[in-house]
Amino acid sequence: TIVDANTMPKHLPALFISHGGGPLPLLGDQGHESLSRCLSRVATEMSIQRPQAICVVSAHWEESSVQISVGSDSLLYDYYGFPKPAYALKYKAKGAMREAVRAKELLEQASFGPVNIVKRGFDHGVFVPLKLMYPSADVPVFQISLLESMDPKTHVEIGKVLGQLRDEGILILGSGMSLHNMDVLMKAMGGRPEPESRDRCEAFHEWLKQACHNESAAKLLCEWETAPFARYCHPREEHFVPLLVCAGAANGDKGRFFWEDAIGA
């Protein structure tokens, strides 16, 4: 274990957040005001004690096998077409090497190895929400890749393994989007949602809420493609899969929603 028995932390949550469109939550974009406020307040409003480290599972890193990054000297600006300030953003959190090694051990014990620890720059699914949640960058961070297979059950199992870290002072943060149809999102952010699109997204959102509130959330979320308009809301599922990891890490805890908006939850 990486925790001294005399300073044993409380059980930290597994938190899934929508990270918004590229760097827009950090650039004062009007369509992201609600999300930016939420992320800047969530740790306080949910009474999340200061973590020893943060484990981020972002929609923007896929590998053929599970990999871990402790970041590098530069961020990964994995977006394009934004103004110059978007490419000058900084987030200088230390890489959580000790906790990354612990995660590697647990994953390999669960037959997810070999797991390599690399120095890939943190992508915007990591640094955008963390700049709002922990702006001082004083909590060490490590990142877990998704699997290219996108297999739901496998990602839930990865989450179950990572869930053990919740009792060791580590916050599990799934960073994706509950809705990721880019055409729909752009119109919603521009205040021009189409009624038919809104109805479809609301139907999926209602299914998602019921699934997350259920004691069998992980099982139900694995069947997400059966939800109303699932493939309309997620033409490709990489932004949904971090939620599956969080569902596994929850270990049966019921989910609750702390923010809902036209661009996600």
Side-chain angles (χ1 to χ4, degrees):
T1 182
I2 61 171
V3 179
D4 188 305
N6 295 320
T7 58
M8 185 67 72
K10 295 179 181 178
H11 194 57
L12 287 173
L15 195 65
F16 175 78
I17 54 97
S18 291
H19 60 236
L24 291 175
L26 301 176
L27 300 180
D29 178 69
Q30 186 175 0
H32 285 76
E33 286 180 356
S34 174
L35 174 60
S36 298
R37 283 196 305 271
C38 169
L39 292 177
S40 66
R41 300 172 183 174
V42 63
T44 300
E45 293 187 355
M46 293 187 67
S47 300
I48 299 173
Q49 74 167 44
R50 177 186 169 85
Q52 292 188 10
I54 303 170
C55 171
V56 184
V57 183
S58 164
H60 295 281
W61 186 21
E62 302 171 25
E63 296 286 353
S64 58
S65 61
V66 182
Q67 306 295 307
I68 300 175
S69 175
V70 290
S72 73
D73 292 336
S74 59
L75 298 175
L76 185 59
Y77 303 115
D78 52 337
Y79 41 68
Y80 59 91
F82 292 95
K84 287 184 178 180
Y87 304 94
L89 295 167
K90 304 296 181 186
Y91 192 72
K92 297 184 178 181
K94 292 182 179 179
M97 180 59 77
R98 182 179 63 165
E99 291 81 3
V101 170
R102 172 66 172 150
K104 168 183 167 73
E105 292 171 349
L106 291 172
L107 287 162
E108 290 182 340
Q109 289 169 9
S111 300
F112 283 108
V115 176
N116 297 313
I117 297 178
V118 302
K119 291 188 175 182
R120 175 186 186 267
F122 291 137
D123 59 62
H124 78 270
V126 180
F127 72 81
V128 168
L130 289 186
K131 275 184 72 68
L132 292 164
M133 295 173 67
Y134 296 96
S136 298
D138 54 357
V139 181
V141 178
F142 66 104
Q143 180 177 2
I144 306 285
S145 71
L146 298 179
L147 293 176
E148 293 170 344
S149 70
M150 296 291 153
D151 181 70
K153 292 182 179 178
T154 304
H155 284 91
V156 167
E157 291 303 313
I158 291 170
K160 288 179 180 178
V161 175
L162 297 177
Q164 298 173 70
L165 300 174
R166 295 172 60 198
D167 289 322
E168 300 180 13
I170 298 175
L171 172 66
I172 308 296
L173 184 67
S175 177
M177 295 282 283
S178 61
L179 165 66
H180 199 250
N181 179 315
M182 291 306 297
D183 182 58
V184 172
L185 282 171
M186 293 302 291
K187 289 177 179 176
M189 287 187 288
R192 304 177 284 108
E194 296 177 347
E196 183 180 10
S197 294
R198 184 182 62 240
D199 292 345
R200 291 178 177 183
C201 294
E202 286 179 354
F204 179 78
H205 180 72
E206 186 58 33
W207 173 89
L208 184 62
K209 287 181 70 172
Q210 292 183 19
C212 289
H213 291 160
N214 195 289
E215 291 180 354
S216 301
K219 181 177 182 297
L220 293 172
L221 291 171
C222 280
E223 300 167 357
W224 74 275
E225 286 187 274
T226 66
F229 306 107
R231 281 295 178 187
Y232 179 80
C233 293
H234 288 278
R236 190 171 184 270
E237 61 264 46
E238 79 284 349
H239 278 72
F240 185 83
V241 170
L243 175 59
L244 297 173
V245 178
C246 288
N251 193 30
D253 292 348
K254 284 187 178 181
R256 70 181 180 92
F257 280 54
F258 55 88
W259 174 79
E260 298 176 60
D261 189 81
I263 64 171

